[in-house]
Amino acid sequence: MNIEKLVEVVRNGGIAVIPTDTIYGIVGDATNIDVIHKVYEVKRRDYSKPLILMVASIDMLERYVDVIGELEKKLIDKYWPGKLTILFKKKDNVSDLITSGGDFVGIRYPDNNDIIEVISRLDKPLISTSCNISSKEVITDVGMLEDDISKYVSYVYDGGVLSNTSSTIVKVTDKIEIIREGELATLIRKEFSGDIR
């Protein structure tokens, strides 16, 4: 991955397609309203469907979420960086566009040193979502990328064929609620058996 190029693209308000922990995703500056709109429009994604954030540290996470509870800390210690997205109560500096007007934002700490380096250099989160046209097949190989998306993208990194395994999404209140199964769901149920809703 050309880290310098990706940082430059994101800083200048562009979007990129890169491999994430799971599938190929569109990424961009999560603090730039124009970029958030661009991602929705390029994907033809309904604004009622939220995006997620990727962070590069717990310090960065704390800048964008209201509270990190004890159960969330245990999940973070066990499964971050990795294929776990956690829904947190957001701070006001997270755009309502990202959360579709909701109070919670999905955040992942990716298990990818290049992406972490990019986020660290930007000192702000990346928005992330799959790089397919909404309702179409997810992209596990850049050869599958449609022209309707690629013409709006300023940088594409070919990381080979990916596994197409979804991240697990959880939300924590007094218990852990598994919102999307993903490959970690079974492990979480086993590890946190007394804390699952």
Side-chain angles (χ1 to χ4, degrees):
M1 187 180 296
N2 187 333
I3 291 172
E4 300 289 344
K5 175 67 174 175
L6 184 51
V7 169
E8 178 188 3
V9 164
V10 174
R11 276 194 180 134
N12 290 329
I15 58 175
V17 169
I18 60 172
T20 65
D21 296 320
T22 53
I23 55 177
Y24 281 90
I26 296 175
V27 297
D29 181 352
T31 67
N32 185 322
I33 296 297
D34 291 337
V35 171
I36 299 167
H37 279 297
K38 185 187 293 184
V39 169
Y40 273 106
E41 288 160 11
V42 167
K43 271 183 62 75
R44 301 175 202 164
R45 185 177 179 87
D46 194 284
Y47 279 92
S48 66
K49 296 179 179 179
L51 305 173
I52 71 162
L53 304 185
M54 293 195 294
V55 298
S57 67
I58 303 306
D59 285 344
M60 184 177 289
L61 174 70
E62 290 172 342
R63 291 179 358 219
Y64 294 92
V65 304
D66 208 21
V67 176
I68 305 172
E70 289 306 312
L71 265 179
E72 282 120 330
K73 287 176 184 174
K74 289 177 181 177
L75 287 165
I76 286 167
D77 289 344
K78 186 77 178 174
Y79 299 111
W80 275 11
K83 298 176 183 180
L84 178 66
T85 299
I86 302 175
L87 291 169
F88 294 93
K89 182 83 181 298
K90 76 179 185 73
K91 286 185 175 175
D92 289 341
N93 57 353
V94 176
S95 169
D96 287 341
L97 282 174
I98 290 173
T99 64
S100 301
D103 294 331
F104 288 83
V105 59
I107 300 184
R108 190 163 81 245
Y109 186 158
D111 188 15
N112 182 304
N113 289 333
D114 287 345
I115 298 175
I116 290 170
E117 176 70 15
V118 168
I119 298 169
S120 298
R121 290 198 196 184
L122 292 165
D123 195 32
K124 61 181 71 172
L126 292 175
I127 45 172
S128 178
T129 183
S130 58
C131 65
N132 54 303
I133 300 288
S134 285
S135 80
K136 292 196 175 182
E137 185 180 6
V138 297
I139 306 298
T140 55
D141 181 333
V142 293
M144 300 167 64
L145 191 62
E146 295 194 48
D147 290 343
D148 280 353
I149 285 184
S150 60
K151 66 185 179 183
Y152 296 105
V153 171
S154 302
Y155 174 69
V156 177
Y157 175 68
D158 186 350
V161 179
L162 305 182
S163 63
N164 189 19
T165 54
S166 299
S167 68
T168 299
I169 302 177
V170 300
K171 183 178 181 181
V172 180
T173 49
D174 57 323
K175 299 279 189 180
I176 298 168
E177 181 182 358
I178 296 177
I179 306 294
R180 184 173 73 192
E181 288 289 321
E183 68 177 60
L184 290 178
T186 301
L187 290 174
I188 292 170
R189 285 193 177 94
K190 183 177 179 180
E191 182 74 21
F192 294 89
S193 57
D195 294 307
I196 296 289
R197 181 177 297 283

